[in-house]
């Protein structure tokens, strides 16, 4: 309890881990050239240049539109879905529940491919539509409205998680009291239930708005045709646009992105706290009595199934199908083009093979290593009232506000900047460091939650019996928190296997991972191999999810 | 020299002063009870002694060795104080068997495994847990869990045993047995024990010394008889025992006794502090000493019976006069609607 020394050291190291990248970006944004260049001088002109660039303004506008569209579509749909799942007698709720989480863990790159090969200009559905009705389909997968729709529908689960959790804490006797007093189910839902979960809906709206600024994969693939950029893809284009990376421009763009995301993250944190206070009114988890929907339950089920089809089945079936054919177009019969070649190529191409192996290593061993890092930080702040650990609470907001692609970029720069680290710049180690940084806030929360569930007196009993801090951690906290830690490891595995944007700038010879491989295969137009790799990526993640469900891990952590 | 000496402990939670100079000492083989209403700081004081809370002033010494001294900044962490602590929740580690729970302190002290086996065996035998050593805490009853918690805190032979409301999670019948058992055990094992409780009956029964806390300071310290029969403050008089409290005006005071007029009821009692006629005063009357009397007896008040209840062993009657109501216990039923009630002056204290 007393030895604050090691605590402070851990907090200090964590702060360095978080602040060094942010500091480097800030510094770089005021330089005329790359930070390692001898010609670099300080200037503030880069800010003016970026602000004056019409491309930046377009990207910003697109991002804002996407973000707003996501909020306007995903929040009502997600809340409705949560209400249907938690509060009504809609059929099939039990098996729909895990399916809702699928879009959360599927790689956006896979989804994006899926939409291209399913409903793109020469996609399966487009071709079938043409054969059935003649004439081109009414949709254009590369259009802005389509992009808004796709990103919004794929973010419905994020809203669902927050709202369904809140709904579960509302005791149904509150609703029943209103029903007895004469309210119809609809009135009760609007007047009693909705006001109680408003705070959670608001939190999820801020989250979704924030995620809108992080978007990379979907707008990258679906906006590619028309050269439509969002902030993250605008940042990525800078890497190649000018022939060589324009460090100062990228740094400024990163600053602009974080100027938006950081306030959103802080707002979300504040709202979450007050929302939690709000939700404690329903302390006891009373047995919920579902509201009967009557015949409407079939309408509700149909709506949910259509949504699931649109965000899971449509893209996945497209990718799966595409991975088994050599080519596809209007005059092709499936029978003639069936092949397993795309899968053979996965094994034959050393690059691809390596990316699969690397992903598994990174997700399994790297995930565990990250968990250990989070556990050490978590132990340092566990039951500590020290100022340093409180500061940590705020510090982790910074990586939270960093989109994966940004974190990858800054870790890349740090590895370039620090001489000792430089040889490792294109290695899995750098990749792991970036992943660990990106998922630090989330991992730390999981770990702290499971530590927090260990009874205080259980720890004190060991202290009094003669155990120092390290022994208490080893003998009491870690053994009793092991289920939570195992769950955190599984989640880390899922997230690391799915991760694609973090590695974009870090990818070099030898440290390819599936996610970034998908991005570069798309860049190279190699849709055959991309499809089979996407299928493998999805299978790995599906395996992880199955394992998680088997162990009873909550996926909505 | 006492095994445990606690001097002038001051402790704050933020800006709130929780302990404002608490002191007490416990000899070997003796039990001190920290008694007080909730919020009086008794558990905090115990945790401070154990090193689980940090005081900003004061001294604690265990077996003649300083473990805390606010002045010099000496503050040994809990693990270095070598005390035994029984938590209110028992705090048994659910992932360890009874044996491993009890053995933990010995293993931390790197005792050889044979020694661990022997000692744990002995302690478990003493506490009647011999046959339960391979069980997990969740497989035990509340009483058994409590004994495991005690065994765990005794196993490594601490000179001082601290117990935080150890009996409060037991049901009433078990509590009476455990109380006697605990008292016998501590005396036999020759530990100095401090027990925190909010239950005065428990404190009176088990303790050699009672330390009565009120608002972070010690209201009175002494033997149970002392506190019960010679309360020095209104708080002590009122807190100990089952009392009726009457406020009024002093009409006469001499020979150590004062008579109070409380809206029609006249009561006479020992003065807890010097009083003169005309002053305001409060009388604390031990309820169990109230009795029905014959007309003409001293220290009586004529009152009207409002209701009667049969309690099994006894009858309880509520007597009223004006706004006052007194509860009187009798052996049998009562026929009269009015009766003189005797409030014996030996069982009344005036402050």
């Amino acid at each position: 309890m007393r030895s604050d020394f090691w605590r402070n050291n851990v907090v200090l190291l964590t702060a360095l881990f978080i602040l060094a990248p942010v500091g480097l970006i800030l510094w770089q944004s005021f330089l005329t050239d790359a930070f390692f260049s001898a010609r670099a001088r300080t200037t503030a002109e880069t800010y003016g240049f970026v602000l004056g660039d019409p491309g930046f303004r377009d990207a910003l506008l697109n991002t804002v539109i996407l973000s707003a569209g996501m909020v306007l579509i995903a929040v009502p749909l997600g809340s409705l879905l949560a209400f249907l799942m938690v509060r009504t007698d809609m059929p099939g709720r039990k098996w729909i529940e895990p399916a809702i989480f699928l879009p959360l863990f599927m790689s956006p790159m896979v989804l994006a491919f899926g939409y291209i090969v399913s409903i793109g200009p020469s996609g399966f559905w487009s071709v079938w539509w043409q054969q059935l009705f003649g004439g081109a389909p009414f949709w254009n997968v590369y259009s802005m409205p389509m992009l808004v729709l796709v990103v919004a529908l794929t973010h419905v689960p994020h809203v669902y998680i927050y709202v369904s959790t809140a709904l579960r804490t509302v005791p149904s006797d509150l609703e029943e009291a209103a029903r007895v007093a004469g309210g119809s189910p609809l009135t009760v839902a609007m007047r009693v239930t909705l006001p109680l979960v408003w705070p959670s809906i608001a939190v999820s709206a801020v989250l979704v708005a924030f995620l809108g600024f992080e978007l990379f994969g979907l707008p990258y693939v679906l906006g590619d045709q028309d050269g439509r950029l969002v902030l993250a893809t605008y940042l990525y284009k800078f890497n190649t646009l000018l022939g060589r990376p324009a460090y100062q421009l990228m740094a400024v763009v990163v600053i602009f992105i974080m100027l938006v995301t950081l306030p959103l993250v802080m707002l979300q944190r504040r709202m979450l706290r007050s929302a939690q206070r709000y939700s404690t009114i329903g302390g006891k988890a009373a047995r919920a009595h579902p509201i009967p929907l009557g015949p409407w339950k079939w309408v509700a089920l149909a709506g949910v199934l259509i949504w699931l089809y649109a965000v899971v089945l449509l893209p996945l079936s497209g990718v799966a199908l595409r991975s088994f054919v050599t080519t596809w177009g209007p005059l092709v019969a499936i029978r003639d083009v069936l092949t397993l070649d795309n899968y053979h190529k996965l094994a034959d191409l050393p690059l691809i093979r390596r990316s699969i192996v690397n992903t598994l290593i990174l997700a399994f061993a790297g995930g565990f290593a990250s968990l250990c890092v989070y556990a050490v930080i978590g132990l340092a702040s566990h039951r500590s009232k020290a100022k340093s650990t409180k500061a940590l609470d705020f510090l982790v907001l910074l990586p939270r506000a960093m989109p994966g692609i940004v974190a990858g970029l800054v870790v890349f720069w740090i590895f370039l900047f620090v001489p000792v680290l430089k040889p490792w710049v294109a290695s899995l180690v750098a990749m792991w460091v970036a992943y660990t940084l990106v998922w630090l806030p989330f991992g730390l929360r999981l770990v702290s939650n499971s530590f927090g569930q260990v009874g205080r007196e259980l720890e004190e009993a060991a202290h009094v019996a003669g155990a120092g801090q390290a022994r208490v951690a080893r003998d009491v906290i870690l053994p009793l928190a092991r289920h939570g830690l195992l769950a955190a490891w599984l989640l880390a595995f899922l997230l690391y296997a799915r991760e694609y944007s973090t590695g974009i700038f870090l990818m070099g010879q030898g440290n390819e991972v599936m996610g970034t491989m998908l991005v570069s295969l798309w860049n190279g137009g190699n849709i055959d191999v991309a499809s089979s790799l996407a299928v493998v990526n999805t299978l790995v993640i599906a395996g992880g999810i199955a394992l998680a469900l088997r162990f009873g891990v909550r996926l909505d952590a | 020299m006492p095994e445990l000496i606690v001097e002038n402990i001051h402790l704050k939670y933020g800006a709130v002063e929780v302990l404002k100079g608490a002191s007490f000492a416990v000899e070997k083989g003796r039990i001190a009870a920290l008694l007080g209403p909730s919020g009086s700081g008794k558990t905090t004081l115990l945790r401070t002694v154990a090193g689980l809370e940090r005081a900003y002033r004061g001294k604690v010494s265990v077996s003649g060795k300083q473990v805390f001294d606010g002045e010099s900044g000496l503050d040994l962490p809990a693990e270095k104080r070598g005390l035994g602590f029984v938590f209110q929740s028992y705090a048994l580690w659910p992932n360890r068997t009874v044996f491993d729970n009890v053995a933990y302190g010995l293993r931390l002290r790197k005792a050889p495994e044979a020694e661990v086996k022997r000692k744990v065996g002995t302690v478990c035998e003493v506490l009647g847990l011999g046959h339960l050593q391979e069980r997990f805490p969740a497989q035990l009853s509340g009483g058994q869990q409590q004994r495991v918690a005690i065994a765990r805190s005794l196993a490594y032979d601490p000179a001082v045993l601290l117990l935080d409301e150890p009996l409060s999670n037991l049901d009433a019948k078990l509590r009476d047995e455990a109380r006697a058992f605990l008292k016998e055990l501590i005396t036999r094992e020759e530990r100095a024990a401090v027990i925190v409780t909010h239950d005065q009956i428990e404190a009176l029964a088990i303790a050699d010394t009672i330390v009565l806390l009120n608002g972070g300071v010690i209201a009175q310290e002494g033997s149970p008889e002392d506190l019960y029969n010679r309360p020095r403050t209104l708080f002590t008089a009122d807190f100990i025992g089952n009392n009726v409290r009457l406020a009024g005006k002093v009409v006469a005071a001499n020979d150590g006794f004062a008579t109070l007029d409380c809206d029609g009821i006249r009561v006479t009692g020992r003065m807890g502090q010097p009083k003169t006629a005309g002053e305001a005063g409060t009388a604390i009357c031990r309820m169990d000493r109230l009795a029905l009397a014959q007309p003409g007896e001293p220290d009586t008040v004529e009152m009207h019976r409002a209701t009667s209840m049969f309690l099994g062993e006894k009858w309880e009657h509520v007597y009223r006069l004006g706004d006052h109501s007194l509860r009187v216990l009798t052996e049998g039923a009562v026929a009269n609607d009015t009766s003189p009630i005797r409030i014996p002056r030996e069982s009344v204290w005036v402050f």
Side-chain angles (χ1 to χ4, degrees):
Chain A
M1 179 169 287
R2 301 299 149 61
S3 59
D4 288 335
F5 179 72
W6 76 275
R7 287 201 157 150
N8 290 336
N9 280 339
V10 170
V11 172
L12 218 63
L13 274 176
T14 314
L16 186 71
F17 182 43
I18 292 171
L19 288 177
V22 178
L24 186 59
I25 296 179
L26 208 57
W27 183 46
Q28 173 66 74
S29 74
F30 287 105
L31 291 180
T32 52
D33 206 332
F35 56 84
F36 48 78
S37 160
R39 286 176 302 162
R41 281 169 294 102
T42 53
T43 176
E45 274 170 36
T46 324
Y47 283 86
F49 177 83
V50 169
L51 279 178
D53 179 18
F56 174 74
R57 273 177 287 174
D58 282 348
L60 183 62
L61 183 68
N62 284 333
T63 311
V64 171
I65 292 174
L66 274 185
S67 187
M70 281 163 73
V71 172
L72 289 178
I73 298 173
V75 172
L77 286 185
S79 308
L80 182 65
L81 180 64
F83 183 76
L84 290 174
M85 292 290 296
V86 177
R87 274 293 186 248
T88 70
D89 64 345
M90 186 180 71
R93 280 167 298 159
K94 202 166 263 167
W95 55 264
I96 289 176
E97 172 103 63
I100 290 176
F101 294 122
L102 275 175
L104 280 178
F105 292 103
M106 257 166 15
S107 167
M109 282 310 285
V110 174
L111 287 176
F113 285 156
Y115 286 115
I116 297 288
V117 296
S118 293
I119 54 172
S122 54
F124 296 106
W125 282 98
S126 311
V127 169
W128 289 328
W129 177 278
Q130 260 168 331
Q131 285 163 356
L132 271 173
F133 301 103
F138 61 88
W139 66 82
N140 173 11
V141 77
Y142 293 115
S143 67
M144 187 67 178
M146 197 62 170
L147 181 57
V148 172
L149 194 66
V150 165
V151 294
L153 289 182
T154 49
H155 284 80
V156 165
H158 295 85
V159 179
Y160 169 81
I161 285 178
Y162 279 88
V163 181
S164 64
T165 311
L167 274 176
R168 287 201 177 95
T169 65
V170 177
S172 55
D173 48 5
L174 289 185
E175 287 172 351
E176 282 161 1
R179 291 283 297 283
V180 172
S184 71
L186 186 68
T187 322
V188 172
M190 299 306 283
R191 293 281 188 75
V192 178
T193 319
L194 191 63
L196 285 171
V197 294
W198 252 131
S200 297
I201 293 178
V203 169
S204 70
V206 176
L207 172 78
V208 167
F210 160 76
L211 290 173
F213 278 81
E214 276 204 341
L215 284 178
F216 179 79
L218 284 164
Y220 181 64
V221 173
L222 298 179
D224 191 48
Q225 185 97 339
D226 302 339
R228 189 182 299 111
L229 294 179
V230 294
L231 286 177
T233 51
Y234 176 77
L235 175 70
Y236 181 48
K237 287 275 166 176
F238 262 131
N239 201 28
T240 49
L241 207 60
L242 309 174
R244 62 189 188 84
Y247 281 70
Q248 66 280 20
L249 292 176
M250 288 157 90
V252 170
V253 176
V254 168
I255 297 282
F256 279 128
I257 292 178
M258 288 189 69
L259 277 180
V260 179
T261 53
L262 194 58
L264 284 175
V265 167
M266 286 161 83
L267 179 66
Q268 199 208 352
R269 181 185 130 104
R270 279 195 57 172
M271 289 167 69
L272 202 57
R273 295 205 160 172
S274 57
Q276 275 160 355
R277 274 202 291 278
Y278 216 65
S279 70
T280 48
I281 43 163
K284 264 186 283 180
R287 209 173 73 82
H289 299 276
I291 297 171
L293 289 179
W296 286 99
K297 67 185 176 189
W298 300 108
V299 179
L301 178 65
V304 173
L305 289 182
I306 289 173
W307 170 73
L308 273 178
Y309 174 75
V311 297
V312 179
L313 211 57
L314 176 71
L316 271 193
S317 62
V319 170
L321 201 54
R322 186 65 187 79
S323 71
F324 286 108
V325 297
T326 50
T327 178
W328 184 248
L331 300 170
V332 181
I334 282 197
R335 214 175 309 113
D336 303 336
V337 290
L338 276 180
T339 178
L340 281 174
D341 268 5
N342 301 331
Y343 288 93
H344 289 309
K345 279 185 201 154
L346 292 183
D348 291 345
L349 297 171
L351 218 61
I352 311 282
R353 201 175 54 218
R354 203 156 57 210
S355 80
I356 298 174
V357 175
N358 280 345
T359 304
L360 291 176
I361 294 174
L362 201 56
F364 195 74
F368 183 76
S370 299
L371 183 71
C372 294
V373 172
Y374 303 151
V376 169
I377 302 173
L379 283 174
S381 52
H382 183 57
R383 300 210 196 285
S384 163
K385 288 179 201 131
K387 282 203 181 68
S388 57
T389 45
K390 282 208 179 113
L392 191 67
D393 216 29
F394 265 101
L395 268 182
V396 295
L397 290 180
L398 277 171
R400 177 93 181 72
M402 253 187 238
I405 187 170
V406 170
L409 179 66
V410 298
V411 169
F412 177 58
W413 285 359
I414 289 284
F415 271 75
L416 281 184
F417 182 68
V418 182
V420 203
L421 296 178
K422 202 160 179 185
W424 301 92
V425 71
S427 69
L428 268 184
V429 176
M431 210 62 115
W432 174 78
V433 170
Y435 280 30
T436 306
L437 178 63
V438 170
W439 294 106
L440 172 71
F442 180 71
L444 198 54
R445 205 190 61 199
L446 289 183
V447 168
S448 306
N449 282 351
S450 50
F451 289 164
Q453 277 163 7
V454 177
R456 183 192 196 100
E457 297 199 331
L458 292 179
E459 292 168 37
E460 289 174 347
H463 271 302
V464 175
Q469 279 202 349
R471 284 303 296 250
V472 174
R474 209 189 82 187
D475 293 345
V476 179
I477 303 176
L478 291 176
L480 290 177
R482 65 184 185 279
H483 288 292
L485 295 177
L486 183 72
W489 185 15
L490 257 168
L491 285 170
F493 176 85
L494 288 175
L495 294 167
Y496 283 19
R498 163 188 184 271
E499 190 59 70
Y500 66 103
S501 61
T502 303
I504 283 179
F505 289 106
L506 285 164
M507 190 164 80
Q509 196 72 32
N511 70 346
E512 303 85 353
V513 292
M514 275 196 253
T516 43
M517 207 62 221
L518 285 172
V519 178
S520 61
L521 285 172
W522 168 255
N523 287 346
N526 195 345
I527 211 81
D528 298 339
V529 183
S531 301
S532 54
L533 187 60
V535 170
V536 172
N537 187 242
T538 309
L539 285 178
V540 168
I541 289 167
I545 292 181
L547 209 61
L549 291 175
R550 171 77 184 71
F551 284 121
V553 173
R554 291 193 61 85
L555 291 174
D556 54 352
Chain B
M1 181 164 173
E3 280 298 311
L4 174 69
I5 305 171
V6 178
E7 284 174 80
N8 197 26
I9 293 291
H10 284 73
L11 181 140
K12 270 188 207 170
Y13 282 150
V16 185
E17 196 111 10
V18 182
L19 294 174
K20 305 165 201 162
S23 313
F24 65 94
V26 196
E27 302 271 355
K28 198 183 262 187
R30 298 266 157 169
I31 303 177
L34 300 181
L35 178 67
S38 60
S40 60
K42 51 195 191 301
T43 294
T44 310
L45 181 56
L46 192 77
R47 289 170 57 85
T48 311
V49 172
L52 297 170
E53 304 282 343
R54 183 169 202 171
Y56 68 89
R57 194 187 297 163
K59 282 180 188 168
V60 178
S61 74
V62 176
S63 311
K65 191 179 134 223
Q66 284 280 335
V67 295
F68 174 75
D69 185 353
E71 218 120 285
S72 68
L74 170 75
D75 181 22
L76 287 186
E79 61 265 27
K80 300 247 165 71
R81 295 192 180 190
L83 304 164
F85 200 111
V86 177
F87 289 85
Q88 186 176 5
S89 65
Y90 308 146
L92 301 178
W93 300 301
N95 55 333
R96 297 206 180 97
T97 60
V98 168
F99 180 88
D100 289 332
N101 261 287
V102 176
Y104 186 69
L106 290 167
R107 285 185 175 147
L108 280 176
R109 285 163 180 74
K110 302 213 162 46
E113 203 55 25
E115 168 91 357
V116 171
K117 266 221 172 86
R118 193 182 59 76
K119 276 214 154 152
V120 173
T122 320
V123 172
C124 284
E125 216 50 62
V126 167
L127 284 139
L129 297 164
H131 57 297
L132 300 171
Q133 293 187 22
E134 295 314 311
R135 299 261 192 103
F136 284 92
Q139 299 166 317
L140 301 177
S141 72
Q144 289 167 335
Q145 288 184 17
Q146 188 231 22
R147 278 180 283 152
V148 176
I150 296 172
R152 184 176 66 182
S153 65
L154 283 176
Y156 48 91
D157 278 328
V160 176
L161 193 59
L162 309 171
L163 305 104
D164 185 9
E165 307 241 6
L167 306 177
S168 67
N169 281 341
L170 300 178
D171 54 54
K173 197 172 160 230
L174 218 51
R175 193 154 42 202
D176 293 347
E177 286 170 18
R179 193 194 291 158
F181 169 78
L182 203 56
K183 179 156 187 168
E184 194 199 330
L185 179 79
I186 290 166
T187 321
R188 178 156 37 105
E189 297 276 318
E190 295 227 302
R191 314 295 162 109
V194 182
I195 184 164
V196 160
T197 177
H198 63 269
D199 179 354
Q200 43 144 327
I201 310 274
E202 191 172 299
L204 291 170
I206 205 168
D208 300 298
T209 323
I210 294 180
V211 180
L212 182 63
L213 281 159
N214 182 30
V217 289
I218 290 175
Q220 191 169 340
E221 187 184 342
S223 68
E225 295 88 349
D226 238 16
L227 263 75
Y228 191 83
N229 294 326
R230 286 175 290 279
R232 283 202 301 269
T233 62
L234 175 63
F235 174 80
T236 312
D238 199 13
F239 190 83
I240 304 277
N242 209 347
N243 302 306
V244 182
R245 191 180 173 132
L246 298 166
K249 209 169 232 170
V250 179
V251 290
N254 45 27
D255 289 345
F257 283 90
T259 304
L260 237 58
D261 180 53
C262 317
D263 292 328
I265 296 190
R266 276 192 175 231
V267 349
T268 307
R270 262 180 241 278
M271 281 191 282
Q273 65 197 66
K275 287 276 176 192
T276 51
E279 260 185 279
T282 306
I284 301 295
C285 321
R286 298 272 184 251
M287 206 195 84
D288 46 353
R289 300 290 169 84
L290 300 180
L292 300 188
Q294 297 305 315
E297 276 187 58
D299 299 338
T300 54
V301 187
E302 184 88 1
M303 292 180 89
H304 172 77
R305 186 162 60 94
T307 184
S308 292
M309 288 167 281
F310 178 56
L311 302 182
E313 294 176 4
K314 290 190 169 177
W315 283 82
E316 183 183 314
H317 315 278
V318 177
Y319 280 87
R320 289 237 161 86
L321 179 68
D323 289 339
H324 297 293
S325 72
L326 297 179
R327 288 184 301 160
V328 180
L329 298 173
T330 63
E331 296 291 334
V334 172
N336 300 345
D337 277 349
T338 53
S339 166
I341 307 293
R342 189 166 124 84
I343 309 176
R345 59 179 66 201
E346 303 77 43
S347 304
V348 177
W349 287 269
V350 177
F351 289 91

